[in-house]
Amino acid sequence: MVLPNFRKRNVTLLVLLVFFTTHRIYHRFWNPHLIVTFFDVGQGDSALIQFPYGKTLLVDGGGGWKSWDAGSKLLFPELTRLGILRLDHLVLSHPDNDHARGFLGILKLLKVEELILHGALNKVSIKQPLMSIKEEAKAKNIKQTFVSQEEVRNISGAKVLLIPLGNHSKNTN
């Protein structure tokens, strides 16, 4: 008599598990909508763009200091909550600490396909945290792209315009 109830409960649990897993997979990989999420990372900025059908782009990673960064402490938990364990593109708007330091945690904790940087950052002497970001990307064989002039990309049917502004010689903002 106990066995049929046990089976019924297991089947119910299995059906619920399949439903919630399928629902999460749909919203992550088959969602036809473009979703932009802004994260509160303190003084700096961070925005996630989820393109239709699963492609992702993270702009800036927020700040931090030597033993703490917004990427591992704030962004990583939120990204994993959204089901994102891999990022297609990381875009660093400029190398100031309040926008860049969070990328250190992201690069260490998530799989990243491409790091997109301003073209001037490939030619000038760079300082922390950008140096650490470039070294981490190189160690993980992440493609580093330097954008020196306006570039248009098509990501999952969405037109993305990358516009490198300024010469970054004195004021990187």
Side-chain angles (χ1 to χ4, degrees):
M1 298 274 181
V2 174
L3 189 60
N5 285 338
F6 179 74
R7 276 188 166 155
K8 189 175 184 180
R9 185 174 33 192
N10 281 349
V11 168
T12 303
L13 288 173
L14 181 64
V15 167
L16 286 173
L17 178 67
V18 168
F19 171 77
F20 287 118
T21 303
T22 305
H23 183 268
R24 189 141 179 109
I25 290 171
Y26 167 79
H27 280 288
R28 173 69 177 92
F29 295 105
W30 293 313
N31 188 357
H33 304 289
L34 183 120
I35 301 168
V36 180
T37 306
F38 294 93
F39 299 104
D40 181 1
V41 291
Q43 181 180 346
D45 294 315
S46 185
L48 171 71
I49 302 171
Q50 293 173 269
F51 293 94
Y53 310 109
K55 294 287 185 185
T56 54
L57 183 145
L58 183 68
V59 179
D60 292 342
W65 49 88
K66 191 168 188 156
S67 63
W68 186 93
D69 70 85
S72 58
K73 301 296 183 188
L74 300 173
L75 293 174
F76 177 72
E78 286 301 310
L79 292 170
T80 56
R81 184 185 62 78
L82 293 170
I84 297 171
L85 300 174
R86 174 188 173 281
L87 290 164
D88 295 295
H89 312 279
L90 288 181
V91 176
L92 182 60
S93 65
H94 62 284
D96 289 357
N97 189 49
D98 60 336
H99 291 258
R101 184 158 297 279
F103 273 1
L104 292 171
I106 294 298
L107 288 169
K108 290 177 182 172
L109 296 169
L110 294 175
K111 178 166 176 43
V112 175
E113 295 298 318
E114 179 184 30
L115 173 63
I116 302 172
L117 303 163
H118 191 292
L121 298 177
N122 196 27
K123 299 171 188 158
V124 298
S125 63
I126 54 175
K127 58 182 182 176
Q128 294 295 345
L130 184 59
M131 186 181 304
S132 298
I133 291 169
K134 289 178 72 176
E135 288 170 359
E136 185 71 25
K138 185 176 181 181
K140 290 192 155 193
N141 293 320
I142 296 169
K143 177 182 176 185
Q144 294 183 46
T145 303
F146 295 91
V147 178
S148 297
Q149 58 189 16
E150 191 173 294
E151 182 179 314
V152 178
R153 291 191 179 193
N154 185 331
I155 302 175
S156 294
K159 181 180 173 181
V160 177
L161 181 60
L162 301 171
I163 307 172
L165 300 175
N167 60 12
H168 291 279
S169 60
K170 295 195 184 208
N171 183 2
T172 57
N173 264 329

